[in-house]
Every structure is written in C-alpha cells, then in structure tokens.
Amino acid sequence: MIITRRAFTAALSLTGLAAFTGFSPLRLIADAVAQGAADVAKPVSLPDMALGPANAAVTVTEYASMTCPHCAAFNEAVFPKIKSEYIDTGKIRYVFREFPLDIKAAAGSMLGRCIAKDDPAKYFAVIDMLFKQQGDWVMKNTTETLTRIGKQAGLSQQTVEACLKDQALLDKIAADQKYASDVLKVNSTPTFFINGEKITGEASFEEFAKRINPLLKS
C-alpha cells in the first residue's frame, strides 16, 4: 500500500491521528546479485539512517513498517544481537528504511524522522522506542500518544503537530516506498537485503550469521 496525503489526513482525523556469448550461469547469478545490491544502494528521497562504517564489506538494509508486529519482534529479539556482533564491532553497515503498510505507520515514521533529524544513532533509538511502545500508540489514540512520545524526546506539541502535517516529508516517504515496491519488489515487512540478496520475513540471528559470515571472509 502506497501512502497518499488524502488517505493520511482522513485516517488521522478518524484516529486522532545475457547474451549467449560467454554464457555462464554462475556469472549471471553473480551479476544479478551485484545489480540487486546497486539498486538497493541507490540514493533515495530521504537520507539513509545507518549504523556502522560506510565502507563496510557487508551492508544490511531493512525495510520495516512501524505498526508491523513482526518488525517489533525482530527489533526486540534479533536486532540487538546483530548490533552487538556486527555493527558495534564495525563489521557491517546497517540501514533502516521506512515501508509504512498503513497510515499510522507513516505517522510513526514521520515522527521518528522529525525527532532524530540527521542523527542516525538518535533515529535508531527513536525507532526502538516506537517499536517497544507499539501497542500503545497503534491501539490507542494515535495522535495523542505520538505527541506524548514526541514530548518525551524533547519536542513541543506544536512541533509534533507540524511534523505530522509535513507534506514534503510524507511525499518523500511515499516516493521511497514506491521505489522499494516497484524496483526492489518489497511487498511485506520486514524485508532485508544483505549485499543485495533479499530475505523476507522475521529471520533469526542464526540465519543472518549464516549469510553475513561468508561475506566477511571473502
């Protein structure tokens, strides 16, 4: 689902918010992965929020919806292990991108961007807070609860309200979501790319380790 301004406003009012020459199957596979990695790495409308060195040999890109319970579960059970084992040790770069599956998810993503501005570490902290409080702001009065979360992060009520009405920000999130849907074929959350290789669903830490470790050795 691509979020539109009209749907967003309406929902907030309701909720309170190969050539055959030299043909090689293995080369085709390698080229496909390389092309996939290039597509994932292309600049998007919003600046990437990423942890870890920009020149890391492995880049993991996550597409998530802030109202997705599987994304919240991954954030609680798996991401801390990935952060400890691979991000904090400088082995990988980890990119988080918004893929809102509903209007409330778009609002949560917008608030996260407004609170963090251009600070990736702060952004990941806000995302963690939103996931941990998902049951509160998704199930209850969305605007009031997001305003409370925004105030906890140091924003005024007026700033939160302005953030949730920011047309330009919403347009950029929608444009990036459309690119992910059309080009990368993301249609569910969470979806991950490890150097261009796609993983769909709430994968375990062991699954990530199985895919990341060989890339670190190559």
Side-chain angles (χ1 to χ4, degrees), residues 32-41 57-64 74 82 92-97 99 176 179-201 203 208 211-212 215:
V33 172
Q35 184 59 48
D39 286 337
V40 175
V58 178
T59 297
V60 177
T61 302
E62 176 185 359
Y63 282 90
F74 172 85
I82 293 175
I92 73 169
R93 178 175 175 82
Y94 195 99
V95 181
F96 185 98
R97 290 182 182 164
F99 195 87
D176 292 347
Y179 177 86
S181 177
D182 293 349
V183 178
L184 305 179
K185 307 305 178 185
V186 176
N187 56 20
S188 63
T189 57
T191 293
F192 306 90
F193 292 88
I194 302 178
N195 281 9
E197 183 182 0
K198 186 177 181 181
I199 301 176
T200 302
F208 277 91
R211 294 171 185 258
I212 291 173
L215 297 172

Side-chain angles (χ1 to χ4, degrees), residues 68-165:
C68 163
H70 297 290
C71 300
F74 172 85
N75 178 76
E76 180 179 4
V78 181
F79 179 73
K81 297 178 183 178
I82 293 175
K83 186 174 185 298
S84 175
E85 179 68 23
Y86 296 110
I87 301 173
D88 293 345
T89 55
K91 295 177 182 177
I92 73 169
R93 178 175 175 82
Y94 195 99
V95 181
F96 185 98
R97 290 182 182 164
E98 302 92 343
F99 195 87
L101 295 179
D102 52 57
I103 302 304
K104 293 184 178 183
S109 293
M110 292 169 75
L111 182 65
R113 286 279 178 175
C114 292
I115 292 173
K117 299 187 182 299
D118 297 322
D119 186 338
K122 189 172 184 180
Y123 178 80
F124 274 82
V126 173
I127 292 304
D128 179 62
M129 179 173 63
L130 287 170
F131 275 135
K132 287 180 177 177
Q133 298 186 34
Q134 189 183 77
D136 291 334
W137 67 270
V138 173
M139 302 304 296
K140 300 177 182 178
N141 190 301
T142 300
T143 300
E144 289 184 4
T145 310
L146 287 179
T147 298
R148 174 178 56 77
I149 293 174
K151 287 181 177 179
Q152 289 175 350
L155 300 185
S156 67
Q157 181 172 341
Q158 291 74 17
T159 302
V160 174
E161 290 175 355
C163 172
L164 297 180
K165 295 177 182 177

